[in-house]
Every structure is written in C-alpha cells, then in structure tokens.
Amino acid sequence: MTPSRRYRFQPAPIPTLATVVLLALFVALGSWQLKRAGEKAALQTRYDARQAQAPVALGWEAQDAEALRFRRVTATGHYETEYQILLDNRVHQGRAGFHVITPLKLEGGERRLLVNRGWIALGADRAQFPPVETPAGVQQILGLAVVPAERFFTFESRAPLEGAWEPLWQNLDMARYAASVPFPVQAVVVLLDPGAPGGFVREWASLDAGIAAHRGYALQWFALAAALIVLYAALNLRRRDAR
C-alpha cells in the first residue's frame, strides 16, 4: 500500500516569538503611515483652501508665519540687492543654476520681505556669478507665501555672517539671514507669481503634502507583514507519512 502524505503544523517557540514581534511591528508601522496619510490629506485640503482665498496685503508690520503659509499675498516696496542671495544647486530642465532671493523693502517701515524671483542658469564659470537684473522703483508683487524648512543637512555654518556679505547660500536659513542683516525680516518667503514682472524662470512645483508617499509606505509595511505570515507558515509545516 502506497503511503499517503499529510502535513502538520509544528512551530518552534523562538521563531514563533520573533514572528509575533515582527508582525506586530510591521502592522503598527503600516497603521502609523495610514494615520500620517490622513493627517496629510487634511493638510492638503487646508493648503488648497488657502490658495483659493483672496490675496493678503502685507505691510511692514511683523506677520505670523503660520497664518500666511500657502496664502497668496501682495506687497508694495522696492527691491534692494545689497543683501540679495543666490541659492545654489537649483536645477531646471537638467541645467544647474540658482534661485534668486531679493529683499523687498516694504513701504512704511524698515521691514523687508524676501522674494524668490525664480531660477537663473549657472553660467560658464562657477567662480563668477551670472548677472541678475533687478527692476528699480516701487514694485507691486504678487506671489505665494511659504515657510522655508528649518531642518536640513548642510556643511555651511549656521552662525550669523560677519564681514563682507556672502551671496551664495546652500539653503535659505531664515534665522541665520535675520541675524545677519541690519533690518527686520518677515518670517515668510514669497514665490513670485509666474505672471508678475521682475522675475526669472518660475515653474514652481505644485504644493503636495505627501499623501501618496505615506500610503505607499503603509502598503509596503502591510506587504511585509503578509509575506512574514506566509513564510512562517511555510517554514513550520512538517510532512509526515501515514498508512
């Protein structure tokens, strides 16, 4: 009589414990990513609602950064190039270049508003900055208020500048900039509207809170949890012969 083959589930204690711990970890991480996706979805809704609102007129008085974040704003003043900076390593269509950040002296006071006027190409030689044309006289600007990131990896010093002004920056550190100039600065940066005069290439990326990324991470963690269950079951099934 030919023996028939049957399987039995015979898990070992230590692999079982390790599997339970890893499974709980993967599910927890996936759930956390789904929670973050929900939070980012609410944030994206707020971004979209703010952009649809009427522009806020900025004066020389200090403004709260969070109240202005992702709001369209208008301002009147004149550009000053003495403390203008160029943000390095900005790429457009495969070409290296800079973002031009020019302070706008707001009418009625001494406070300045930093305006990102867009991208310019690097030029033939990194040792010489490309020419930057700046309109003279009173300017009325329109753009989107953003708050630069406060945490970034950089080799440059975070200490205030001393001596001659250094126009080339790797990142826009608002605290360092405010500590390095002899005038007060609004806490936001304005991305100059593509249709406004006095700027350069302004193909700003659409505001994305990162919902898809968190959902993708959640899917990866849940997929790892499912793979762990399948692997655990496959490794703990034992074949035995029965007559």
Side-chain angles (χ1 to χ4, degrees), residues 129-155:
F129 297 136
V132 179
E133 296 182 0
T134 303
V138 176
Q139 306 293 316
Q140 291 183 335
I141 69 160
L142 170 67
L144 187 69
V146 296
V147 181
E150 296 181 355
R151 297 180 181 179
F152 40 78
F153 180 77
T154 178
F155 290 108

mmCIF file with all atom_site columns, all heavy atoms in Angstrom, residues 129-155:
data_model
loop_
_atom_site.group_PDB
_atom_site.id
_atom_site.type_symbol
_atom_site.label_atom_id
_atom_site.label_alt_id
_atom_site.label_comp_id
_atom_site.label_asym_id
_atom_site.label_entity_id
_atom_site.label_seq_id
_atom_site.pdbx_PDB_ins_code
_atom_site.Cartn_x
_atom_site.Cartn_y
_atom_site.Cartn_z
_atom_site.occupancy
_atom_site.B_iso_or_equiv
_atom_site.pdbx_formal_charge
_atom_site.auth_seq_id
_atom_site.auth_comp_id
_atom_site.auth_asym_id
_atom_site.auth_atom_id
_atom_site.pdbx_PDB_model_num
ATOM 1   N N   . PHE A 1 129 ? 29.511 84.912  -10.677 1.00 0.00 ? 129 PHE A N   1
ATOM 2   C CA  . PHE A 1 129 ? 28.064 84.819  -10.656 1.00 0.00 ? 129 PHE A CA  1
ATOM 3   C C   . PHE A 1 129 ? 27.464 85.413  -11.927 1.00 0.00 ? 129 PHE A C   1
ATOM 4   O O   . PHE A 1 129 ? 27.982 86.400  -12.470 1.00 0.00 ? 129 PHE A O   1
ATOM 5   C CB  . PHE A 1 129 ? 27.488 85.541  -9.438  1.00 0.00 ? 129 PHE A CB  1
ATOM 6   C CG  . PHE A 1 129 ? 27.913 84.950  -8.134  1.00 0.00 ? 129 PHE A CG  1
ATOM 7   C CD1 . PHE A 1 129 ? 28.319 85.766  -7.081  1.00 0.00 ? 129 PHE A CD1 1
ATOM 8   C CD2 . PHE A 1 129 ? 27.921 83.579  -7.939  1.00 0.00 ? 129 PHE A CD2 1
ATOM 9   C CE1 . PHE A 1 129 ? 28.711 85.220  -5.877  1.00 0.00 ? 129 PHE A CE1 1
ATOM 10  C CE2 . PHE A 1 129 ? 28.310 83.021  -6.733  1.00 0.00 ? 129 PHE A CE2 1
ATOM 11  C CZ  . PHE A 1 129 ? 28.708 83.838  -5.703  1.00 0.00 ? 129 PHE A CZ  1
ATOM 12  N N   . PRO A 1 130 ? 26.364 84.838  -12.402 1.00 0.00 ? 130 PRO A N   1
ATOM 13  C CA  . PRO A 1 130 ? 25.698 85.410  -13.578 1.00 0.00 ? 130 PRO A CA  1
ATOM 14  C C   . PRO A 1 130 ? 25.076 86.759  -13.230 1.00 0.00 ? 130 PRO A C   1
ATOM 15  O O   . PRO A 1 130 ? 24.742 87.026  -12.076 1.00 0.00 ? 130 PRO A O   1
ATOM 16  C CB  . PRO A 1 130 ? 24.627 84.372  -13.913 1.00 0.00 ? 130 PRO A CB  1
ATOM 17  C CG  . PRO A 1 130 ? 24.360 83.687  -12.620 1.00 0.00 ? 130 PRO A CG  1
ATOM 18  C CD  . PRO A 1 130 ? 25.664 83.649  -11.884 1.00 0.00 ? 130 PRO A CD  1
ATOM 19  N N   . PRO A 1 131 ? 24.916 87.645  -14.207 1.00 0.00 ? 131 PRO A N   1
ATOM 20  C CA  . PRO A 1 131 ? 24.276 88.941  -13.938 1.00 0.00 ? 131 PRO A CA  1
ATOM 21  C C   . PRO A 1 131 ? 22.809 88.757  -13.574 1.00 0.00 ? 131 PRO A C   1
ATOM 22  O O   . PRO A 1 131 ? 22.111 87.925  -14.147 1.00 0.00 ? 131 PRO A O   1
ATOM 23  C CB  . PRO A 1 131 ? 24.431 89.693  -15.264 1.00 0.00 ? 131 PRO A CB  1
ATOM 24  C CG  . PRO A 1 131 ? 24.593 88.621  -16.296 1.00 0.00 ? 131 PRO A CG  1
ATOM 25  C CD  . PRO A 1 131 ? 25.309 87.502  -15.619 1.00 0.00 ? 131 PRO A CD  1
ATOM 26  N N   . VAL A 1 132 ? 22.357 89.518  -12.591 1.00 0.00 ? 132 VAL A N   1
ATOM 27  C CA  . VAL A 1 132 ? 20.981 89.450  -12.120 1.00 0.00 ? 132 VAL A CA  1
ATOM 28  C C   . VAL A 1 132 ? 20.344 90.830  -12.281 1.00 0.00 ? 132 VAL A C   1
ATOM 29  O O   . VAL A 1 132 ? 20.722 91.776  -11.587 1.00 0.00 ? 132 VAL A O   1
ATOM 30  C CB  . VAL A 1 132 ? 20.909 89.004  -10.643 1.00 0.00 ? 132 VAL A CB  1
ATOM 31  C CG1 . VAL A 1 132 ? 19.456 88.964  -10.178 1.00 0.00 ? 132 VAL A CG1 1
ATOM 32  C CG2 . VAL A 1 132 ? 21.560 87.635  -10.463 1.00 0.00 ? 132 VAL A CG2 1
ATOM 33  N N   . GLU A 1 133 ? 19.411 90.943  -13.196 1.00 0.00 ? 133 GLU A N   1
ATOM 34  C CA  . GLU A 1 133 ? 18.727 92.213  -13.408 1.00 0.00 ? 133 GLU A CA  1
ATOM 35  C C   . GLU A 1 133 ? 17.623 92.392  -12.360 1.00 0.00 ? 133 GLU A C   1
ATOM 36  O O   . GLU A 1 133 ? 16.860 91.469  -12.097 1.00 0.00 ? 133 GLU A O   1
ATOM 37  C CB  . GLU A 1 133 ? 18.133 92.269  -14.811 1.00 0.00 ? 133 GLU A CB  1
ATOM 38  C CG  . GLU A 1 133 ? 19.180 92.225  -15.922 1.00 0.00 ? 133 GLU A CG  1
ATOM 39  C CD  . GLU A 1 133 ? 18.537 92.334  -17.300 1.00 0.00 ? 133 GLU A CD  1
ATOM 40  O OE1 . GLU A 1 133 ? 17.287 92.443  -17.358 1.00 0.00 ? 133 GLU A OE1 1
ATOM 41  O OE2 . GLU A 1 133 ? 19.269 92.300  -18.295 1.00 0.00 ? 133 GLU A OE2 1
ATOM 42  N N   . THR A 1 134 ? 17.574 93.578  -11.794 1.00 0.00 ? 134 THR A N   1
ATOM 43  C CA  . THR A 1 134 ? 16.587 93.870  -10.756 1.00 0.00 ? 134 THR A CA  1
ATOM 44  C C   . THR A 1 134 ? 15.853 95.158  -11.111 1.00 0.00 ? 134 THR A C   1
ATOM 45  O O   . THR A 1 134 ? 16.500 96.190  -11.340 1.00 0.00 ? 134 THR A O   1
ATOM 46  C CB  . THR A 1 134 ? 17.264 94.025  -9.386  1.00 0.00 ? 134 THR A CB  1
ATOM 47  O OG1 . THR A 1 134 ? 18.002 92.833  -9.084  1.00 0.00 ? 134 THR A OG1 1
ATOM 48  C CG2 . THR A 1 134 ? 16.225 94.270  -8.296  1.00 0.00 ? 134 THR A CG2 1
ATOM 49  N N   . PRO A 1 135 ? 14.531 95.118  -11.193 1.00 0.00 ? 135 PRO A N   1
ATOM 50  C CA  . PRO A 1 135 ? 13.788 96.339  -11.533 1.00 0.00 ? 135 PRO A CA  1
ATOM 51  C C   . PRO A 1 135 ? 13.917 97.398  -10.441 1.00 0.00 ? 135 PRO A C   1
ATOM 52  O O   . PRO A 1 135 ? 13.940 97.070  -9.250  1.00 0.00 ? 135 PRO A O   1
ATOM 53  C CB  . PRO A 1 135 ? 12.350 95.851  -11.682 1.00 0.00 ? 135 PRO A CB  1
ATOM 54  C CG  . PRO A 1 135 ? 12.282 94.583  -10.888 1.00 0.00 ? 135 PRO A CG  1
ATOM 55  C CD  . PRO A 1 135 ? 13.634 93.964  -10.991 1.00 0.00 ? 135 PRO A CD  1
ATOM 56  N N   . ALA A 1 136 ? 14.022 98.642  -10.864 1.00 0.00 ? 136 ALA A N   1
ATOM 57  C CA  . ALA A 1 136 ? 14.136 99.761  -9.926  1.00 0.00 ? 136 ALA A CA  1
ATOM 58  C C   . ALA A 1 136 ? 12.764 100.377 -9.681  1.00 0.00 ? 136 ALA A C   1
ATOM 59  O O   . ALA A 1 136 ? 11.804 100.130 -10.414 1.00 0.00 ? 136 ALA A O   1
ATOM 60  C CB  . ALA A 1 136 ? 15.098 100.806 -10.475 1.00 0.00 ? 136 ALA A CB  1
ATOM 61  N N   . GLY A 1 137 ? 12.697 101.175 -8.635  1.00 0.00 ? 137 GLY A N   1
ATOM 62  C CA  . GLY A 1 137 ? 11.451 101.867 -8.324  1.00 0.00 ? 137 GLY A CA  1
ATOM 63  C C   . GLY A 1 137 ? 10.497 101.015 -7.521  1.00 0.00 ? 137 GLY A C   1
ATOM 64  O O   . GLY A 1 137 ? 10.779 99.870  -7.143  1.00 0.00 ? 137 GLY A O   1
ATOM 65  N N   . VAL A 1 138 ? 9.331  101.571 -7.263  1.00 0.00 ? 138 VAL A N   1
ATOM 66  C CA  . VAL A 1 138 ? 8.318  100.892 -6.451  1.00 0.00 ? 138 VAL A CA  1
ATOM 67  C C   . VAL A 1 138 ? 7.732  99.708  -7.227  1.00 0.00 ? 138 VAL A C   1
ATOM 68  O O   . VAL A 1 138 ? 7.358  99.845  -8.400  1.00 0.00 ? 138 VAL A O   1
ATOM 69  C CB  . VAL A 1 138 ? 7.205  101.872 -6.044  1.00 0.00 ? 138 VAL A CB  1
ATOM 70  C CG1 . VAL A 1 138 ? 6.102  101.154 -5.278  1.00 0.00 ? 138 VAL A CG1 1
ATOM 71  C CG2 . VAL A 1 138 ? 7.785  103.010 -5.208  1.00 0.00 ? 138 VAL A CG2 1
ATOM 72  N N   . GLN A 1 139 ? 7.665  98.576  -6.568  1.00 0.00 ? 139 GLN A N   1
ATOM 73  C CA  . GLN A 1 139 ? 7.148  97.357  -7.173  1.00 0.00 ? 139 GLN A CA  1
ATOM 74  C C   . GLN A 1 139 ? 5.938  96.866  -6.383  1.00 0.00 ? 139 GLN A C   1
ATOM 75  O O   . GLN A 1 139 ? 5.912  96.936  -5.158  1.00 0.00 ? 139 GLN A O   1
ATOM 76  C CB  . GLN A 1 139 ? 8.222  96.249  -7.174  1.00 0.00 ? 139 GLN A CB  1
ATOM 77  C CG  . GLN A 1 139 ? 9.530  96.644  -7.808  1.00 0.00 ? 139 GLN A CG  1
ATOM 78  C CD  . GLN A 1 139 ? 9.396  96.885  -9.290  1.00 0.00 ? 139 GLN A CD  1
ATOM 79  O OE1 . GLN A 1 139 ? 8.741  96.106  -9.994  1.00 0.00 ? 139 GLN A OE1 1
ATOM 80  N NE2 . GLN A 1 139 ? 10.013 97.962  -9.781  1.00 0.00 ? 139 GLN A NE2 1
ATOM 81  N N   . GLN A 1 140 ? 4.946  96.382  -7.113  1.00 0.00 ? 140 GLN A N   1
ATOM 82  C CA  . GLN A 1 140 ? 3.801  95.710  -6.503  1.00 0.00 ? 140 GLN A CA  1
ATOM 83  C C   . GLN A 1 140 ? 3.892  94.240  -6.888  1.00 0.00 ? 140 GLN A C   1
ATOM 84  O O   . GLN A 1 140 ? 3.764  93.896  -8.063  1.00 0.00 ? 140 GLN A O   1
ATOM 85  C CB  . GLN A 1 140 ? 2.486  96.322  -6.976  1.00 0.00 ? 140 GLN A CB  1
ATOM 86  C CG  . GLN A 1 140 ? 2.251  97.733  -6.468  1.00 0.00 ? 140 GLN A CG  1
ATOM 87  C CD  . GLN A 1 140 ? 0.905  98.282  -6.886  1.00 0.00 ? 140 GLN A CD  1
ATOM 88  O OE1 . GLN A 1 140 ? 0.325  97.874  -7.890  1.00 0.00 ? 140 GLN A OE1 1
ATOM 89  N NE2 . GLN A 1 140 ? 0.384  99.206  -6.094  1.00 0.00 ? 140 GLN A NE2 1
ATOM 90  N N   . ILE A 1 141 ? 4.115  93.404  -5.901  1.00 0.00 ? 141 ILE A N   1
ATOM 91  C CA  . ILE A 1 141 ? 4.344  91.987  -6.194  1.00 0.00 ? 141 ILE A CA  1
ATOM 92  C C   . ILE A 1 141 ? 3.142  91.145  -5.772  1.00 0.00 ? 141 ILE A C   1
ATOM 93  O O   . ILE A 1 141 ? 2.359  91.533  -4.909  1.00 0.00 ? 141 ILE A O   1
ATOM 94  C CB  . ILE A 1 141 ? 5.615  91.467  -5.495  1.00 0.00 ? 141 ILE A CB  1
ATOM 95  C CG1 . ILE A 1 141 ? 5.394  91.406  -3.974  1.00 0.00 ? 141 ILE A CG1 1
ATOM 96  C CG2 . ILE A 1 141 ? 6.827  92.314  -5.835  1.00 0.00 ? 141 ILE A CG2 1
ATOM 97  C CD1 . ILE A 1 141 ? 6.354  90.495  -3.267  1.00 0.00 ? 141 ILE A CD1 1
ATOM 98  N N   . LEU A 1 142 ? 3.046  89.997  -6.412  1.00 0.00 ? 142 LEU A N   1
ATOM 99  C CA  . LEU A 1 142 ? 2.026  89.001  -6.079  1.00 0.00 ? 142 LEU A CA  1
ATOM 100 C C   . LEU A 1 142 ? 2.707  87.655  -6.073  1.00 0.00 ? 142 LEU A C   1
ATOM 101 O O   . LEU A 1 142 ? 3.517  87.345  -6.956  1.00 0.00 ? 142 LEU A O   1
ATOM 102 C CB  . LEU A 1 142 ? 0.905  89.010  -7.122  1.00 0.00 ? 142 LEU A CB  1
ATOM 103 C CG  . LEU A 1 142 ? -0.115 87.856  -7.042  1.00 0.00 ? 142 LEU A CG  1
ATOM 104 C CD1 . LEU A 1 142 ? -0.947 87.958  -5.765  1.00 0.00 ? 142 LEU A CD1 1
ATOM 105 C CD2 . LEU A 1 142 ? -1.017 87.855  -8.267  1.00 0.00 ? 142 LEU A CD2 1
ATOM 106 N N   . GLY A 1 143 ? 2.416  86.850  -5.058  1.00 0.00 ? 143 GLY A N   1
ATOM 107 C CA  . GLY A 1 143 ? 3.032  85.533  -5.004  1.00 0.00 ? 143 GLY A CA  1
ATOM 108 C C   . GLY A 1 143 ? 2.444  84.676  -3.902  1.00 0.00 ? 143 GLY A C   1
ATOM 109 O O   . GLY A 1 143 ? 1.443  85.031  -3.277  1.00 0.00 ? 143 GLY A O   1
ATOM 110 N N   . LEU A 1 144 ? 3.099  83.549  -3.679  1.00 0.00 ? 144 LEU A N   1
ATOM 111 C CA  . LEU A 1 144 ? 2.647  82.570  -2.695  1.00 0.00 ? 144 LEU A CA  1
ATOM 112 C C   . LEU A 1 144 ? 3.609  82.569  -1.517  1.00 0.00 ? 144 LEU A C   1
ATOM 113 O O   . LEU A 1 144 ? 4.827  82.415  -1.705  1.00 0.00 ? 144 LEU A O   1
ATOM 114 C CB  . LEU A 1 144 ? 2.580  81.175  -3.320  1.00 0.00 ? 144 LEU A CB  1
ATOM 115 C CG  . LEU A 1 144 ? 1.972  80.065  -2.467  1.00 0.00 ? 144 LEU A CG  1
ATOM 116 C CD1 . LEU A 1 144 ? 0.474  80.296  -2.298  1.00 0.00 ? 144 LEU A CD1 1
ATOM 117 C CD2 . LEU A 1 144 ? 2.226  78.701  -3.101  1.00 0.00 ? 144 LEU A CD2 1
ATOM 118 N N   . ALA A 1 145 ? 3.094  82.741  -0.311  1.00 0.00 ? 145 ALA A N   1
ATOM 119 C CA  . ALA A 1 145 ? 3.928  82.759  0.886   1.00 0.00 ? 145 ALA A CA  1
ATOM 120 C C   . ALA A 1 145 ? 4.241  81.335  1.337   1.00 0.00 ? 145 ALA A C   1
ATOM 121 O O   . ALA A 1 145 ? 3.344  80.511  1.481   1.00 0.00 ? 145 ALA A O   1
ATOM 122 C CB  . ALA A 1 145 ? 3.229  83.521  2.010   1.00 0.00 ? 145 ALA A CB  1
ATOM 123 N N   . VAL A 1 146 ? 5.518  81.058  1.542   1.00 0.00 ? 146 VAL A N   1
ATOM 124 C CA  . VAL A 1 146 ? 5.951  79.757  2.031   1.00 0.00 ? 146 VAL A CA  1
ATOM 125 C C   . VAL A 1 146 ? 6.899  79.974  3.201   1.00 0.00 ? 146 VAL A C   1
ATOM 126 O O   . VAL A 1 146 ? 7.482  81.043  3.367   1.00 0.00 ? 146 VAL A O   1
ATOM 127 C CB  . VAL A 1 146 ? 6.647  78.921  0.934   1.00 0.00 ? 146 VAL A CB  1
ATOM 128 C CG1 . VAL A 1 146 ? 5.690  78.602  -0.188  1.00 0.00 ? 146 VAL A CG1 1
ATOM 129 C CG2 . VAL A 1 146 ? 7.880  79.644  0.408   1.00 0.00 ? 146 VAL A CG2 1
ATOM 130 N N   . VAL A 1 147 ? 7.054  78.932  4.011   1.00 0.00 ? 147 VAL A N   1
ATOM 131 C CA  . VAL A 1 147 ? 7.964  78.977  5.155   1.00 0.00 ? 147 VAL A CA  1
ATOM 132 C C   . VAL A 1 147 ? 9.085  77.987  4.878   1.00 0.00 ? 147 VAL A C   1
ATOM 133 O O   . VAL A 1 147 ? 8.832  76.783  4.782   1.00 0.00 ? 147 VAL A O   1
ATOM 134 C CB  . VAL A 1 147 ? 7.245  78.612  6.469   1.00 0.00 ? 147 VAL A CB  1
ATOM 135 C CG1 . VAL A 1 147 ? 8.218  78.686  7.640   1.00 0.00 ? 147 VAL A CG1 1
ATOM 136 C CG2 . VAL A 1 147 ? 6.055  79.538  6.699   1.00 0.00 ? 147 VAL A CG2 1
ATOM 137 N N   . PRO A 1 148 ? 10.322 78.441  4.707   1.00 0.00 ? 148 PRO A N   1
ATOM 138 C CA  . PRO A 1 148 ? 11.421 77.521  4.415   1.00 0.00 ? 148 PRO A CA  1
ATOM 139 C C   . PRO A 1 148 ? 11.618 76.508  5.527   1.00 0.00 ? 148 PRO A C   1
ATOM 140 O O   . PRO A 1 148 ? 11.314 76.760  6.697   1.00 0.00 ? 148 PRO A O   1
ATOM 141 C CB  . PRO A 1 148 ? 12.643 78.454  4.301   1.00 0.00 ? 148 PRO A CB  1
ATOM 142 C CG  . PRO A 1 148 ? 12.075 79.801  4.001   1.00 0.00 ? 148 PRO A CG  1
ATOM 143 C CD  . PRO A 1 148 ? 10.753 79.847  4.712   1.00 0.00 ? 148 PRO A CD  1
ATOM 144 N N   . ALA A 1 149 ? 12.129 75.347  5.139   1.00 0.00 ? 149 ALA A N   1
ATOM 145 C CA  . ALA A 1 149 ? 12.398 74.289  6.120   1.00 0.00 ? 149 ALA A CA  1
ATOM 146 C C   . ALA A 1 149 ? 13.436 74.766  7.122   1.00 0.00 ? 149 ALA A C   1
ATOM 147 O O   . ALA A 1 149 ? 14.368 75.488  6.788   1.00 0.00 ? 149 ALA A O   1
ATOM 148 C CB  . ALA A 1 149 ? 12.892 73.029  5.412   1.00 0.00 ? 149 ALA A CB  1
ATOM 149 N N   . GLU A 1 150 ? 13.248 74.349  8.367   1.00 0.00 ? 150 GLU A N   1
ATOM 150 C CA  . GLU A 1 150 ? 14.184 74.727  9.422   1.00 0.00 ? 150 GLU A CA  1
ATOM 151 C C   . GLU A 1 150 ? 15.250 73.670  9.647   1.00 0.00 ? 150 GLU A C   1
ATOM 152 O O   . GLU A 1 150 ? 16.271 73.939  10.280  1.00 0.00 ? 150 GLU A O   1
ATOM 153 C CB  . GLU A 1 150 ? 13.424 74.965  10.732  1.00 0.00 ? 150 GLU A CB  1
ATOM 154 C CG  . GLU A 1 150 ? 12.455 76.142  10.668  1.00 0.00 ? 150 GLU A CG  1
ATOM 155 C CD  . GLU A 1 150 ? 11.738 76.360  11.986  1.00 0.00 ? 150 GLU A CD  1
ATOM 156 O OE1 . GLU A 1 150 ? 11.931 75.530  12.900  1.00 0.00 ? 150 GLU A OE1 1
ATOM 157 O OE2 . GLU A 1 150 ? 11.009 77.361  12.104  1.00 0.00 ? 150 GLU A OE2 1
ATOM 158 N N   . ARG A 1 151 ? 15.027 72.466  9.143   1.00 0.00 ? 151 ARG A N   1
ATOM 159 C CA  . ARG A 1 151 ? 15.993 71.391  9.318   1.00 0.00 ? 151 ARG A CA  1
ATOM 160 C C   . ARG A 1 151 ? 16.465 70.930  7.952   1.00 0.00 ? 151 ARG A C   1
ATOM 161 O O   . ARG A 1 151 ? 15.683 70.538  7.100   1.00 0.00 ? 151 ARG A O   1
ATOM 162 C CB  . ARG A 1 151 ? 15.365 70.211  10.066  1.00 0.00 ? 151 ARG A CB  1
ATOM 163 C CG  . ARG A 1 151 ? 14.921 70.555  11.486  1.00 0.00 ? 151 ARG A CG  1
ATOM 164 C CD  . ARG A 1 151 ? 14.322 69.345  12.161  1.00 0.00 ? 151 ARG A CD  1
ATOM 165 N NE  . ARG A 1 151 ? 13.864 69.649  13.515  1.00 0.00 ? 151 ARG A NE  1
ATOM 166 C CZ  . ARG A 1 151 ? 13.294 68.771  14.315  1.00 0.00 ? 151 ARG A CZ  1
ATOM 167 N NH1 . ARG A 1 151 ? 13.093 67.531  13.911  1.00 0.00 ? 151 ARG A NH1 1
ATOM 168 N NH2 . ARG A 1 151 ? 12.900 69.140  15.532  1.00 0.00 ? 151 ARG A NH2 1
ATOM 169 N N   . PHE A 1 152 ? 17.781 70.974  7.757   1.00 0.00 ? 152 PHE A N   1
ATOM 170 C CA  . PHE A 1 152 ? 18.353 70.500  6.515   1.00 0.00 ? 152 PHE A CA  1
ATOM 171 C C   . PHE A 1 152 ? 19.810 70.158  6.765   1.00 0.00 ? 152 PHE A C   1
ATOM 172 O O   . PHE A 1 152 ? 20.429 70.625  7.715   1.00 0.00 ? 152 PHE A O   1
ATOM 173 C CB  . PHE A 1 152 ? 18.235 71.537  5.388   1.00 0.00 ? 152 PHE A CB  1
ATOM 174 C CG  . PHE A 1 152 ? 18.484 72.955  5.832   1.00 0.00 ? 152 PHE A CG  1
ATOM 175 C CD1 . PHE A 1 152 ? 19.761 73.427  6.051   1.00 0.00 ? 152 PHE A CD1 1
ATOM 176 C CD2 . PHE A 1 152 ? 17.422 73.818  6.056   1.00 0.00 ? 152 PHE A CD2 1
ATOM 177 C CE1 . PHE A 1 152 ? 19.990 74.713  6.463   1.00 0.00 ? 152 PHE A CE1 1
ATOM 178 C CE2 . PHE A 1 152 ? 17.643 75.112  6.475   1.00 0.00 ? 152 PHE A CE2 1
ATOM 179 C CZ  . PHE A 1 152 ? 18.938 75.563  6.681   1.00 0.00 ? 152 PHE A CZ  1
ATOM 180 N N   . PHE A 1 153 ? 20.350 69.310  5.895   1.00 0.00 ? 153 PHE A N   1
ATOM 181 C CA  . PHE A 1 153 ? 21.748 68.905  6.016   1.00 0.00 ? 153 PHE A CA  1
ATOM 182 C C   . PHE A 1 153 ? 22.601 69.861  5.216   1.00 0.00 ? 153 PHE A C   1
ATOM 183 O O   . PHE A 1 153 ? 22.380 70.075  4.032   1.00 0.00 ? 153 PHE A O   1
ATOM 184 C CB  . PHE A 1 153 ? 21.942 67.479  5.488   1.00 0.00 ? 153 PHE A CB  1
ATOM 185 C CG  . PHE A 1 153 ? 23.362 66.992  5.578   1.00 0.00 ? 153 PHE A CG  1
ATOM 186 C CD1 . PHE A 1 153 ? 23.871 66.582  6.798   1.00 0.00 ? 153 PHE A CD1 1
ATOM 187 C CD2 . PHE A 1 153 ? 24.173 66.960  4.466   1.00 0.00 ? 153 PHE A CD2 1
ATOM 188 C CE1 . PHE A 1 153 ? 25.180 66.131  6.896   1.00 0.00 ? 153 PHE A CE1 1
ATOM 189 C CE2 . PHE A 1 153 ? 25.484 66.511  4.560   1.00 0.00 ? 153 PHE A CE2 1
ATOM 190 C CZ  . PHE A 1 153 ? 25.982 66.096  5.777   1.00 0.00 ? 153 PHE A CZ  1
ATOM 191 N N   . THR A 1 154 ? 23.558 70.481  5.879   1.00 0.00 ? 154 THR A N   1
ATOM 192 C CA  . THR A 1 154 ? 24.414 71.440  5.196   1.00 0.00 ? 154 THR A CA  1
ATOM 193 C C   . THR A 1 154 ? 25.779 71.468  5.861   1.00 0.00 ? 154 THR A C   1
ATOM 194 O O   . THR A 1 154 ? 25.913 71.224  7.058   1.00 0.00 ? 154 THR A O   1
ATOM 195 C CB  . THR A 1 154 ? 23.797 72.849  5.200   1.00 0.00 ? 154 THR A CB  1
ATOM 196 O OG1 . THR A 1 154 ? 24.694 73.749  4.558   1.00 0.00 ? 154 THR A OG1 1
ATOM 197 C CG2 . THR A 1 154 ? 23.520 73.336  6.612   1.00 0.00 ? 154 THR A CG2 1
ATOM 198 N N   . PHE A 1 155 ? 26.808 71.804  5.067   1.00 0.00 ? 155 PHE A N   1
ATOM 199 C CA  . PHE A 1 155 ? 28.147 71.957  5.599   1.00 0.00 ? 155 PHE A CA  1
ATOM 200 C C   . PHE A 1 155 ? 28.434 73.402  5.997   1.00 0.00 ? 155 PHE A C   1
ATOM 201 O O   . PHE A 1 155 ? 29.458 73.683  6.599   1.00 0.00 ? 155 PHE A O   1
ATOM 202 C CB  . PHE A 1 155 ? 29.186 71.519  4.552   1.00 0.00 ? 155 PHE A CB  1
ATOM 203 C CG  . PHE A 1 155 ? 29.193 70.040  4.305   1.00 0.00 ? 155 PHE A CG  1
ATOM 204 C CD1 . PHE A 1 155 ? 28.701 69.524  3.121   1.00 0.00 ? 155 PHE A CD1 1
ATOM 205 C CD2 . PHE A 1 155 ? 29.674 69.160  5.260   1.00 0.00 ? 155 PHE A CD2 1
ATOM 206 C CE1 . PHE A 1 155 ? 28.708 68.163  2.891   1.00 0.00 ? 155 PHE A CE1 1
ATOM 207 C CE2 . PHE A 1 155 ? 29.668 67.795  5.034   1.00 0.00 ? 155 PHE A CE2 1
ATOM 208 C CZ  . PHE A 1 155 ? 29.191 67.293  3.854   1.00 0.00 ? 155 PHE A CZ  1
#
